[in-house]
Structure formats: C-alpha cells, structure tokens
Amino acid sequence: MSKKKKKPGVIILMLCIAIAYFAIEFYPVEEAVQADINLSKIEIPAAISGRAERVITHRGYTVSYNCDWKIPNWVAYEITDYEVDGNEERSDKFVPDPMVPKNLSATTNDYKNSGYDRGHMAPAADMKWDEQAMKESFYLSNICPQLHNLNAGVWKDLEEQVRDLAAQKGSIYVVCGPIVSTDYQTIGENNVAVPSAFFKVLLQKEKDKIHTIGFVYENKSGKRPMSSYARTVDEIEEITGIDFFATLPDEIENKVEAEVDFSKWAVSKK
C-alpha cells in the first residue's frame, strides 16, 4: 500500500511551528524588542489634552510651560555619566524664560516673601556640564513654588540619587513637574500656582531590560525613606493626566509602567 503524501498546507504549517519554536527558544521576544528600541527623546511625554501647554527646548532640558499656572506642566531631560562630572559653577540668577511672552511669565518678585523657595525641576546640579545649560536651568519656566524643607530635603535627596544612578548606569531619563489641584493657591502679582505635590518619573535601560519608576512628594515638610515615595508610572499618569514614555512600543510600555521595583534604583555601594 502506498503511503499518503502530506498536503502542502500541512507541511507549511509544520514548518511555521518549527520556526516559531526556534525563535521563542533562542530569541526571547521581550528582550529582543527592548534591545532594539531607539531611546532618542524617549523622555518627552505626549501632548496634554485640555491644558495650556507651550513646549520649549533648551540646551539641557525641554519644558512644557503652562501659561495659566506660570509654572511648567513637566520638565524632561536625559542625564548621563559624562554630564554628572561637569564642573560649571552654579549660576544663581533667576530670570524669566526669553521664550515665554512677558505677560505670561512669573517674575522673581512673585516669590519674594511668599514662604516658598524657587524650586528647580531640572536641577542646576544636573547642568554642570555646560555654561548655557546651567544658565537656562534658572529660567522661571523651570521653577515652581516649593517649600524649603522639601526643596532642601527629600527632593534634593532624590536629585542626588538620580545623579549617582546616571554615573553608574550611564544614562537616566527624567521627567518631573508639579501636581496642581483644582483649587490651587497662588503667590505674587502674576498668580503663580502653588503645587500640592511634585512627581518625578525615571527610565533606565540596563543591558536588554527597560525599567521605570515614579515618585510623588507632597509639597510639605517631612522625611520618610525614599522607597516610601515610589509609585508605578501608571499611577502617576493617573494623577497627572500625562502620558509618559509614549514612544515605547505598547507591549513594553504597558508592562514597565505597571511595575515598580525600588531595588533596581538603588545605588551600588563600592
């Protein structure tokens, strides 16, 4: 009795299954996709719906400026190990952003005797790699009313942690900014909005893996362990209405923004 010949369709199906098995076995999908991602400008969030927004690019950071609040919606930048080693002296000269019309900007007088510091979003210490970047970090479009205890306390601790991580990991992508309530208070003649809290979200690529984490700090005095302020990026997106890392492929964005592992963000001890 002659053997039945396998139909061409069956042979093709078996071949496809074999190829798929080989691909899964030897080329893990998630790692392969992540390894090929172009992270250029990954820190720039998607446009914000229903909110005043003027996106301005400076030497060391990009800012989404809110002309209603007179403070940023967000400030985004990449900090590298090279930039951490800069030695540019601190400017300390706060001035209005020349890219913001004068009638839409805060002034330094708005902050005088207000009870609030002029709190950097992109820190001056992250801009020591370049004279222009340092100067532009003092533009008022990068500044928010921040209580001194927070500005010089746990918020500063987080900024230092990011620099240490950049020195060890090579690069950290940062987006930070204010959380403004619907019934916000204001300071100064220009009615500068006083945030109720601040957020910072971070992204790092380590080998073939992408990690993200978020932090929320209320605009008040207090000190707790840094890990207690940690949140998922998804949580901060829900609070702020901002879509972070929107250029990531959806399958990766959905995964990494739903997880938070503080141990991935600890500085290695020598």
Side-chain angles (χ1 to χ4, degrees):
M1 182 181 293
S2 61
K3 295 182 180 179
K4 292 183 178 180
K5 293 183 178 180
K6 292 184 178 179
K7 296 180 179 179
V10 175
I11 295 174
I12 293 173
L13 177 61
M14 293 176 66
L15 182 60
C16 290
I17 292 172
I19 292 173
Y21 174 81
F22 180 83
I24 292 172
E25 183 70 18
F26 296 99
Y27 297 95
V29 174
E30 180 185 356
E31 293 191 9
V33 171
Q34 290 192 11
D36 292 337
I37 291 174
N38 181 0
L39 295 182
S40 176
K41 295 298 181 183
I42 191 70
E43 72 275 18
I44 305 300
I48 306 173
S49 177
R51 190 187 301 180
E53 182 175 36
R54 179 188 294 258
V55 177
I56 304 168
T57 300
H58 290 304
R59 175 103 169 124
Y61 64 91
T62 300
V63 55
S64 164
Y65 181 72
N66 189 312
C67 57
D68 294 334
W69 294 346
K70 310 297 192 303
I71 58 175
N73 293 305
W74 52 259
V75 174
Y77 61 101
E78 177 190 10
I79 182 169
T80 68
D81 50 356
Y82 164 78
E83 292 169 346
V84 169
D85 289 334
N87 56 12
E88 185 67 36
E89 292 186 5
R90 183 181 170 93
S91 170
D92 271 334
K93 186 178 180 181
F94 292 91
V95 295
D97 188 330
M99 300 297 291
V100 175
K102 289 184 178 180
N103 63 315
L104 299 178
S105 175
T107 68
T108 56
N109 287 333
D110 290 319
Y111 286 83
K112 288 182 179 179
N113 302 316
S114 68
Y116 292 93
D117 283 1
R118 292 166 291 195
H120 285 75
M121 294 296 96
D126 287 7
M127 303 295 157
K128 294 190 297 182
W129 53 276
D130 183 83
E131 181 181 2
Q132 181 181 341
M134 172 62 72
K135 175 183 174 182
E136 292 176 345
S137 74
F138 285 85
Y139 286 167
L140 291 174
S141 58
N142 181 45
I143 305 299
C144 292
Q146 200 168 46
L147 283 178
H148 178 73
N149 183 270
L150 173 63
N151 186 29
V154 290
W155 187 255
K156 180 181 179 182
D157 293 342
L158 180 57
E159 293 173 340
E160 292 174 348
Q161 181 88 344
V162 171
R163 286 191 288 275
D164 289 343
L165 283 165
Q168 290 189 0
K169 305 293 185 181
S171 177
I172 301 291
Y173 298 87
V174 183
V175 191
C176 57
I179 297 172
V180 179
S181 60
T182 54
D183 57 345
Y184 63 87
Q185 297 179 333
T186 64
I187 59 170
E189 292 184 359
N190 291 294
N191 297 316
V192 180
V194 177
S196 58
F198 295 90
F199 70 85
K200 190 180 292 264
V201 298
L202 309 173
L203 181 147
Q204 63 163 298
K205 184 179 180 183
E206 188 174 29
K207 296 181 180 179
D208 291 329
K209 293 289 187 180
I210 289 176
H211 306 294
T212 67
I213 195 171
F215 296 89
V216 173
Y217 290 78
E218 292 186 76
N219 196 7
K220 66 180 185 180
S221 299
K223 185 176 179 66
R224 305 196 311 268
M226 188 178 295
S227 59
S228 69
Y229 299 97
R231 302 287 187 273
T232 67
V233 173
D234 277 345
E235 288 178 292
I236 298 183
E237 287 183 335
E238 183 68 24
I239 294 170
T240 62
I242 301 173
D243 184 6
F244 302 105
F245 311 129
T247 60
L248 282 174
D250 287 343
E251 67 273 16
I252 296 177
E253 181 185 7
N254 293 337
K255 182 179 187 300
V256 301
E257 291 187 356
E259 299 175 350
V260 56
D261 182 354
F262 187 74
S263 67
K264 300 289 186 184
W265 300 89
V267 177
S268 301
K269 302 296 183 183
K270 294 184 179 180

